[in-house]
Amino acid sequence: MHVFVTGASGWIGSAVVDELLAAGHEVEGLARSDASAAALGAKGVRVRRGDLDDLDGIREGAAASDAVIHLANKHDFAHPDVSARAERDAVRTIGDALTGSGRPFLLASGVAGLANGRTATEKDPSTFHGPDSPRGGSENLALEYVDRGVHTVSVRYAPTVHGDGDHGFLAVLTALAREKGVAGYPGDGTNRWSAVHRSDAARITRLGLEKAPAGTLLHAVGEEGVPTRDIAEAVGRGIGVPVASIAPEDAQEHFGWIGRYFAADIPASSTLTRELLGWAPSGPGVMEDLEAGHYFRA
């Protein structure tokens, strides 16, 4: 297949591109910088210059493809409305371009916010609807296109997609612990984060493209729930700082923008995804990845 990928040079996207190429697919990647374009070109990827605000370019890339994998996101945590608006506009643009074609459209979503006080499953519908909701309600918007002849599949990633080179949540927490001189965890630290290794997330995405029926909700989750205290203790050991509980009322001040995510309880199952795709995680777990030390390099 000729697959158009947004976010093709990103943390997850670059691994997905490698998976697709290894499986014999032809890839066209959206690149917003010279460095991203060069990295993609070196892999043999056809480069389309542009970003999430280039809706005409996204429309053209989607229309010329056999399938679209949408992984790009602005990730502007200081201005979530900006990220949500860009996400929704991109999803609508891709959906419109693929309407009536029956072609696959995989988009990135998340397991956060699916369930309250229990482990989320693939049977849990997203509660996010409309442009003012997280990610602009993009999953539900994309699923509306199934009735319009688009083979939509949502890949819900765990809050931490970890591995060597990760600059996401675990790297942010490590940098914060260095800055504060303490590796903190919220409250009693029993709230959980689901996790997946980057290589496993990429493989689920490729298998979802090849095998998942229209309307499928996939969970890119390798571990259902790792206690945040365990994460903080591994960070403390790794950089040699004490570990401490941060009272809930002080979490926002201590952790900043990441506080509301780190304080959330986000366990999630991937049982149905494993059964559907014949997939099982093979990458290291989050604690193994932390103990390996690459998050703690100066």
Side-chain angles (χ1 to χ4, degrees):
M1 280 188 283
H2 169 198
V3 187
F4 176 51
V5 182
T6 72
S9 62
W11 171 239
I12 298 174
S14 56
V16 168
V17 166
D18 292 343
E19 272 281 328
L20 293 172
L21 293 173
H25 298 291
E26 177 187 344
V27 179
E28 179 178 2
L30 188 68
R32 65 178 179 176
S33 71
D34 291 342
S36 294
L40 291 173
K43 294 181 178 183
V45 172
R46 183 187 305 176
V47 175
R48 175 177 290 274
R49 292 302 299 265
D51 56 25
L52 276 184
D53 295 320
D54 179 15
L55 298 180
D56 288 338
I58 290 173
R59 183 180 299 106
E60 291 171 4
S65 71
D66 297 318
V68 177
I69 299 179
H70 173 50
L71 302 173
N73 191 286
K74 289 193 173 183
H75 296 301
D76 188 345
F77 295 105
H79 304 93
D81 57 318
V82 173
S83 294
R85 183 168 58 253
E87 171 72 357
R88 190 172 180 87
D89 288 346
V91 166
R92 181 183 290 109
T93 297
I94 295 167
D96 288 346
L98 298 181
T99 291
S101 69
R103 285 176 280 168
F105 172 24
L106 273 70
L107 78 153
S109 186
V111 300
L114 293 176
N116 184 19
R118 62 171 175 81
T119 300
T121 77
E122 296 90 335
K123 293 185 177 180
D124 288 309
S126 171
T127 59
F128 302 143
H129 295 270
D132 296 328
S133 61
R135 299 187 75 97
S138 59
E139 178 178 283
N140 281 313
L141 175 62
L143 290 171
E144 291 177 8
Y145 282 90
V146 172
D147 291 335
R148 297 172 58 182
V150 180
H151 193 106
T152 302
V153 174
S154 178
V155 186
R156 295 166 164 177
Y157 296 98
T160 178
V161 180
H162 56 88
D164 192 359
D166 176 19
H167 295 289
F169 283 173
L170 291 183
V172 171
L173 289 169
T174 299
L176 182 66
R178 290 187 191 277
E179 175 190 340
K180 300 284 187 178
V182 60
Y185 56 86
D188 62 6
T190 57
N191 64 300
R192 299 152 293 175
W193 267 12
S194 54
V196 67
H197 191 266
R198 176 175 176 246
S199 61
D200 290 318
R203 195 161 69 257
I204 284 177
T205 306
R206 191 259 302 170
L207 289 171
L209 173 72
E210 297 171 345
K211 301 173 67 172
T216 298
L217 305 174
L218 300 174
H219 279 194
V221 172
E223 295 174 278
E224 290 194 1
V226 181
T228 55
R229 180 169 182 168
D230 291 356
I231 293 173
E233 288 175 343
V235 171
R237 288 192 299 271
I239 63 175
V241 299
V243 180
S245 168
I246 306 299
E249 60 269 22
D250 298 328
Q252 189 65 37
E253 179 180 356
H254 180 86
F255 293 107
W257 65 265
I258 201 173
R260 64 190 182 99
Y261 299 101
F262 200 40
D265 191 34
I266 318 175
S269 168
S270 59
T271 299
L272 298 180
T273 298
R274 298 180 193 216
E275 292 173 353
L276 175 66
L277 302 181
W279 167 83
S282 58
V286 68
M287 298 306 296
E288 184 181 353
D289 233 354
L290 286 168
E291 297 294 350
H294 43 254
Y295 280 96
F296 312 131
R297 298 178 188 136

